[in-house]
């Protein structure tokens, strides 16, 4: 006898369980319907932001291998990613807690998927492609954050456009800096904290994303007050305490993984024969040499700020002005506070990192666009007044204000955009990497036998800056015989492994003199880098590649009886 199908209402009357009919593809249909509904609901924003994401990707890919010049920190993080992937270690040398390792663990995951470390040269340039991907995500999140803070679509698009075109943002966002890896996590945290649904889940996930950003680069902790402020404003009064506790608890638990790792490795507290997290933090906050205040004309910090402004002064200055303007709007006040806090931290006496500006620039663009949006809205509102003459006078004032604002916008655009395009073109046209590739090819052809087989009267190691290390090691040079230049700084270097092994300049067969090496010797007088100075004094140039600051000179260390003639 065939079973009679009952309707849900009939099953309820008979006290039978009401089970929805099982449809194996129903979930897929529902998910597809939800996606279509989401796309339709956000169709205008998608039409605005999609071309901007393409612009961000194209500009950052344009001349990716040419500029900026390779930086030593880029080589350090690529080498540490190589150690994670190939050696299953946190660093090729002693890991001494200079930064949390989550940043280069992400690079290692990318290099494993793409096969980056399977030979070849210029691994730093290869990893820069990952930074372009992060930049595209940053642009999308920046637009979303602007919209959730109440900025109109057009002005949110302006914020992304400024960040997309600024040569300062383009140059730094394509470099392999931990700040670039941390930024999308932090922006994602802000987007979730500003959720219009005011849900506990979103704020809890915001805490998790922010912690992952800090574990990628610890200086992102400076953005925590702004995140908490945004979360406070975008929570319901009845559930605010739960949301903030969820955000704080999740973030704190994830951040505790870092000291927990040190505890498990027996390296939390200082002790004989090992590095420690406490010792590294002490050095970072108290013992690290200061670069001075950016307000002092002769300081290293001022020189760095001048380098930033040489690339682009428009976006930082407009952003700072926008930061003050955002303080007048309650919904934008957290953004203004973030910009001014980051600027104040940069101006203080102390150590100013080279990539510090990376975290500032997207918030500067958002502050500038947000302040302009708020000001334009204010100029469009005509307050009701009962007296006709007063109404006419106010109308004239509003019209004049709109005219001034429009003229200022047009003027800034006319001055800034051409400079941005010329700056982006300069980054793409000047090839800073060609001398590096040529020098590495020469070393692989002429120096590998000396290093590997230890023949002749020359030393057994090659002294290079960080940018070449992963390239040489993946192309056959023994890992322990290619030495990072800065590891010879026995004054401030917390890694004792190289010092225990290298005691004499004659341990080196070749010294590769790059801009990084020459700059390090110039900025750090003796006795710092003493072995490197002695090796160069007893060396003869055998090959030169490039010219000007980018030139690379390969020096072969001579026997101790032969001195170099200047």
């Amino acid at each position: 006898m065939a079973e009679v199908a009952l309707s849900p209402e009939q099953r309820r009357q008979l006290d039978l369980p009401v089970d929805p009919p099982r449809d194996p593809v129903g979930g897929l249909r529902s998910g597809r319907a939800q996606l279509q509904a989401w796309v339709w609901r956000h169709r205008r924003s998608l039409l605005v932001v999609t071309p901007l994401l393409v612009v961000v990707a194209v500009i950052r890919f344009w001349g990716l291998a040419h500029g900026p010049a390779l930086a030593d920190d880029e080589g350090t993080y690529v080498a540490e990613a190589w150690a994670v992937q190939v050696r299953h270690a946190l660093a090729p040398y002693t890991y001494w807690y200079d930064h949390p390792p989550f940043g280069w663990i992400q690079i290692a995951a990318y290099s494993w998927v793409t096969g980056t470390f399977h030979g070849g040269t210029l691994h730093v340039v290869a990893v820069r492609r990952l930074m372009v991907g992060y930049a595209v995500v940053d642009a999308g999140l920046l637009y979303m954050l602007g919209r959730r803070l109440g900025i109109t679509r057009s002005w949110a698009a302006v914020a992304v456009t400024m960040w997309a075109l600024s040569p300062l943002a383009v140059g730094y966002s394509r470099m392999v800096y931990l700040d670039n890896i941390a930024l999308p996590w932090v922006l994602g945290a802000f987007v979730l904290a500003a959720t219009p649904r005011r849900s506990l889940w979103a704020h809890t996930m915001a805490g998790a994303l922010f912690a992952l950003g800090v574990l990628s680069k610890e200086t992102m902790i400076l953005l925590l007050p702004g995140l908490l402020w945004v979360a406070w404003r975008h929570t319901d009064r009845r559930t605010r305490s739960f949301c903030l506790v969820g955000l704080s608890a999740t973030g704190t638990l994830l951040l505790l993984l870092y000291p927990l790792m040190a505890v498990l490795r027996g390296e939390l507290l200082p002790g004989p024969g090992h590095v420690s997290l406490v010792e590294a933090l002490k050095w970072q906050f108290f013992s690290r040499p200061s670069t001075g205040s950016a307000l002092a004309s002769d300081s290293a910090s001022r020189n760095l700020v001048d380098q930033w402004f040489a690339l682009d002064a428009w976006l930082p200055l407009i952003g700072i002005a926008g930061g003050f303007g955002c303080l007048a709007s309650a919904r934008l006040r957290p953004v203004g506070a973030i910009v001014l806090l980051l600027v104040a931290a940069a101006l203080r006496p102390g150590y100013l990192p080279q990539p510090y500006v990376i975290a500032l620039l997207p918030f500067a663009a958002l502050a500038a666009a947000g302040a302009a949006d708020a000001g334009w809205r204010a100029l469009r509102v005509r307050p009701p007044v009962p007296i006709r003459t007063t109404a006419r006078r106010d109308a004239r004032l509003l019209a004049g204000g709109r005219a001034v604002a429009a003229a200022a916008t047009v003027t800034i655009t006319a001055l800034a955009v051409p400079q941005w395009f010329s700056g982006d073109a300069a980054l793409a046209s000047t090839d800073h990497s060609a001398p590096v590739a040529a020098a590495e090819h020469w070393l692989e052809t002429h120096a590998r036998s000396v290093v590997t087989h230890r023949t002749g009267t020359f030393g057994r190691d090659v002294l290079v800056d960080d940018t070449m290390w992963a390239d040489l090691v993946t192309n056959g040079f023994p890992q322990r015989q290619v030495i990072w230049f800065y590891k010879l700084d026995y004054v401030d270097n917390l890694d004792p492994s190289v010092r225990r092994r290298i005691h004499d300049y004659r341990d080196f067969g070749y010294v590769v003199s790059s801009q990084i090496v020459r700059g390090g010797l110039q900025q750090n007088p003796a006795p710092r880098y003493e072995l490197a100075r002695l090796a160069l004094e007893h060396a003869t140039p055998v090959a030169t590649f490039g010219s000007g600051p980018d030139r690379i000179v390969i020096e072969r260390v001579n026997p101790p009886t032969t001195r170099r003639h200047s």
Side-chain angles (χ1 to χ4, degrees), residues 42-57:
H42 298 282
R43 62 191 182 280
R44 294 179 181 176
S45 290
L46 291 174
L47 289 174
V48 171
V49 76
T50 301
L52 293 177
L53 300 184
V54 174
V55 170
V56 170

Side-chain angles (χ1 to χ4, degrees), residues 27 121 149 173 295 360 373 419 486 489 546:
T121 58
L149 293 177
S173 64
L295 298 176
L360 171 64
D373 177 45
Q419 292 186 19
Y486 86 83
D489 181 10

Side-chain angles (χ1 to χ4, degrees), residues 3 85 110 199 236 254 269 318 359 380 394 411 434 437 556 560:
E3 182 179 354
Q85 180 187 338
Y110 167 81
S199 64
D236 189 272
L254 282 176
L269 301 175
I318 295 174
R380 292 179 61 186
D394 289 345
T411 302
R556 191 171 188 179

Side-chain angles (χ1 to χ4, degrees), residues 326-392:
C326 286
L327 296 181
S329 172
R331 59 187 173 85
L332 297 174
R333 206 164 287 153
V335 177
I338 289 172
V339 171
L340 299 179
L341 173 63
L342 292 177
V343 171
L347 296 178
R348 84 195 193 290
Y351 178 74
L352 182 62
Q354 181 87 18
Y356 179 86
V357 73
I358 290 174
L360 171 64
L361 293 178
F363 288 99
L366 194 63
D373 177 45
W376 188 256
R377 288 185 185 186
L379 291 174
R380 292 179 61 186
V381 175
R382 181 180 300 178
V385 289
I387 303 176
R388 183 176 301 177
T389 57
T390 305
R392 286 199 297 267

Side-chain angles (χ1 to χ4, degrees), residues 259-277:
L260 177 61
M261 180 187 72
V263 170
L264 295 177
R265 292 164 60 96
E267 296 174 345
L268 178 63
L269 301 175
H274 68 81
V275 296
S276 75
L277 173 60

Side-chain angles (χ1 to χ4, degrees), residues 71-93:
D72 56 343
D73 280 348
E74 293 186 278
T76 299
Y77 305 140
V78 170
E80 288 170 328
W82 175 90
V84 170
Q85 180 187 338
V86 178
R87 298 299 186 192
H88 307 294
L90 292 178
Y93 295 97

